[in-house]
Amino acid sequence: AQILVMSTVAISIPGHMQLFSLINFIFLPDLVFQMIPNIPQLWRLYTSFCITSSGLGILFDAYFCQYHRENA
């Protein structure tokens, strides 16, 4: 779960600062399950769960991911 917390922070903060587009990380079934000649974009299965809302939502989501990891 610590990897999930770090992934959430590493994807959401630069994405909301517009250092890169979050459209590259959201789940789009057509891109995940596409076949040859294109390579399936399997990272979208994981990274779509790491995108949070802007502002304090980033901190709260990271905190609650960590909190639930420790109390699970």
Side-chain angles (χ1 to χ4, degrees), residues 19-68:
L19 297 177
F20 54 76
S21 175
L22 290 174
I23 196 75
N24 296 320
F25 297 97
I26 63 171
F27 180 75
L28 298 172
D30 295 338
L31 295 176
V32 173
F33 301 113
Q34 64 188 352
M35 294 300 167
I36 297 176
N38 297 326
I39 299 172
Q41 299 178 7
L42 297 177
W43 68 83
R44 292 178 185 267
L45 291 171
Y46 175 75
T47 58
S48 61
F49 292 105
C50 299
I51 299 171
T52 64
S53 61
S54 61
L56 288 176
I58 296 171
L59 297 176
F60 285 126
D61 288 341
Y63 170 75
F64 286 117
C65 285
Q66 182 70 22
Y67 175 76
H68 286 294

